[in-house]
Amino acid sequence: MQPVSVVPAQKRDIRLIVTAIGNIAAANTAVVRTKADGELKAIYFKEGQSVQAGQLLAQIDPKPFQIALSLAQGTLARDQAQLKNAELDLQRYRELVEKQAAPKQQMDTQEALVQQLHGTILSDQASVDNAKLQLSYTRVTAPISGLAGLKQADIGNIVHSSDTNGLVSITQTQPVAIVFAIPDVRLDKLRKQLRDDVPLRVEAWDREQKNILAEGSVANTDNSIDLTTGTIKVKALFPNKDNGLFPNQFVNVRLQLDTMKDALAVPVASVQRGTVGNFVYVVGEGGVVTLKPVTTLATDGDWVAVKAELRPGDQLVTDGADRLRDGGKVEVIAASARPGGGDEPRGGGGKRRKGGGASASGSASAPVPASAPAAASAPAPASTAETRK
């Protein structure tokens, strides 16, 4: 008899998963450029360092800007003194005009001079404010929080606000976004979940799909479908607390659109494919296997939801089904601890190689070309006699 491993069918929740390949994008990216031209005197960050918004990154030589500020402040002080003197003269002219000791025209001229000096003071104050602003630009600060990249200028260089690469770039990686595409047939389900404010879980996996990197949720979708591929772009946000995800990194994405409650599930390893479509082998009484057609609905890890004439608890062959046929007899060597099987199925494979004569009997597997050489190579002539009978 054919040795096999079995796992029972069961009722369980199956997640409706959509897989895709996604690209990680930073929430924000800023190229830090100086707003003032001058000599770079100091750098206060390390490459790859996490920086906070407003943190001092570099210092431009402030001396030329301090001189310009002093000059503007001096001009303001001079004009303020002239305004004060003009206002005193205007007061004297008004007293003289009241006593008819001076012509009114002279008073009007003095009033115009006072107004002119008021305008000069406003202009001087603007010059002082501008000089202070230019001086503040010598302190280069981080516009956003994130990770600092490689520096693009060294201490002692003359930097300009028009420099293409700036001083450094900062990427905001908490949170990060992953952009991926899903088939447009899934759009209705996705949009319905978003309208109902149902959080849609998204998992990021490594290239081998062995380790989960992070978990997030869907934020929004694109506003149009790509006619070339028949897909729509989806953006998911990930907190990325440990900075394990990097911008422009490619990851495998698993989007959970829904959950099938109490679905009839069978191990993925038990589903076979043939001319009749998808089917499973069910081990019944006396070790007799029965072929049962199944329709697969959704796969979640090692389990797949199916529509079939099966009941929870039916023993399904997960290893050793390659040489089975409907109505054949099998020997259950061990029930697998997990759907994918373990070391026992590999041991069972060794037993199959020893039982070459049994492969030609009534409980042999369906493939004739494989079983014929096995029967021919069987050393026991008794097997041939049994075959003739």
Side-chain angles (χ1 to χ4, degrees), residues 6 48 68 104 108 140 142 149 162 171 174 176 188 229 238 264 310 315 321 329 345 386:
V6 297
K104 186 176 182 299
D108 294 340
V140 183
S162 60
T171 55
Q174 295 180 351
V176 295
D188 290 341
T229 60
F238 291 74
L264 177 62
L310 296 174
Q315 301 295 314
K329 287 189 176 182
E386 291 175 2

Side-chain angles (χ1 to χ4, degrees), residues 36-380:
D37 299 346
E39 181 184 352
L40 184 59
K41 283 293 187 180
I43 295 178
Y44 298 106
F45 69 91
K46 294 182 180 180
E47 297 173 329
Q49 172 189 349
S50 177
V51 298
Q52 301 298 319
Q55 179 178 333
L56 181 62
L57 300 179
Q59 177 69 57
I60 307 297
D61 186 7
K63 292 180 180 179
F65 302 95
Q66 291 172 342
I67 294 172
L69 176 59
S70 298
L71 180 61
Q73 289 173 334
T75 302
L76 174 62
R78 180 196 65 192
D79 292 340
Q80 284 176 336
Q82 290 180 352
L83 174 61
K84 185 176 182 181
N85 182 65
E87 288 176 339
L88 291 175
D89 288 344
L90 177 60
Q91 184 62 32
R92 295 189 190 101
Y93 284 130
R94 285 174 177 171
E95 293 175 356
L96 292 174
V97 169
E98 288 178 357
K99 298 176 181 180
Q100 296 183 352
K104 186 176 182 299
Q105 181 181 2
Q106 193 169 5
M107 183 188 71
D108 294 340
T109 302
Q110 190 63 29
E111 285 181 346
L113 178 60
V114 170
Q115 293 299 324
Q116 179 181 352
L117 289 175
H118 273 295
T120 303
I121 293 299
L122 292 177
S123 178
D124 292 343
Q125 184 62 54
S127 297
V128 171
D129 294 340
N130 182 63
K132 289 181 179 179
L133 181 63
Q134 295 299 320
L135 180 60
S136 69
Y137 287 161
T138 61
R139 291 171 53 86
V140 183
T141 58
I144 60 174
S145 299
L147 294 179
L150 302 179
K151 63 180 181 179
Q152 303 297 319
D154 296 321
I155 295 176
N157 289 352
I158 302 298
V159 293
H160 306 276
S161 59
S162 60
D163 291 344
T164 303
N165 296 328
L167 291 179
V168 67
S169 64
I170 299 176
T171 55
Q172 185 177 350
T173 57
Q174 295 180 351
V176 295
I178 294 184
V179 180
F180 57 97
I182 65 172
D184 55 3
V185 295
R186 303 289 189 182
L187 181 57
D188 290 341
K189 185 69 174 178
L190 176 63
R191 298 292 293 179
K192 182 180 183 301
Q193 300 284 58
L194 292 177
R195 284 195 302 269
D196 295 341
D197 293 329
V198 177
L200 295 174
R201 181 182 176 186
V202 181
E203 298 174 349
W205 291 72
D206 60 7
R207 290 189 176 184
E208 291 77 19
Q209 300 199 38
K210 294 181 179 179
N211 301 310
I212 183 171
L213 303 177
E215 295 181 3
S217 60
V218 173
N220 46 56
T221 64
D222 202 354
N223 59 359
S224 61
I225 295 174
D226 189 334
L227 295 178
T228 305
T229 60
T231 59
I232 186 168
K233 291 182 179 179
V234 180
K235 177 183 284 188
L237 293 181
F238 291 74
N240 199 29
K241 297 295 185 181
D242 59 352
N243 284 322
L245 302 178
F246 281 84
N248 299 325
Q249 177 184 357
F250 284 93
V251 293
N252 290 294
V253 177
R254 297 182 185 180
L255 166 63
Q256 181 178 342
L257 274 181
D258 201 359
T259 301
M260 301 176 63
K261 298 292 186 179
D262 293 327
L264 177 62
V266 301
V268 172
S270 68
V271 179
Q272 309 296 320
R273 293 169 180 81
T275 57
V276 297
N278 294 329
F279 62 90
V280 296
Y281 284 117
V282 181
V283 180
E285 296 182 1
V288 178
V289 296
T290 305
L291 185 150
K292 294 281 189 179
V294 298
T295 301
T296 58
L297 302 177
T299 302
D300 183 6
D302 292 330
W303 292 88
V304 55
V306 297
K307 183 178 180 181
E309 295 180 359
L310 296 174
R311 293 175 299 177
D314 285 349
Q315 301 295 314
L316 308 177
V317 176
T318 57
D319 187 75
D322 53 331
R323 299 174 64 86
L324 290 181
R325 65 185 179 188
D326 190 20
K329 287 189 176 182
V330 297
E331 175 189 0
V332 179
I333 56 173
S336 299
R338 56 185 177 86
D343 294 336
E344 292 91 342
R346 286 193 292 271
K351 294 181 180 180
R352 288 197 297 270
R353 286 191 293 270
K354 292 180 181 179
S359 299
S361 64
S363 60
S365 62
V368 176
S371 59
S377 61

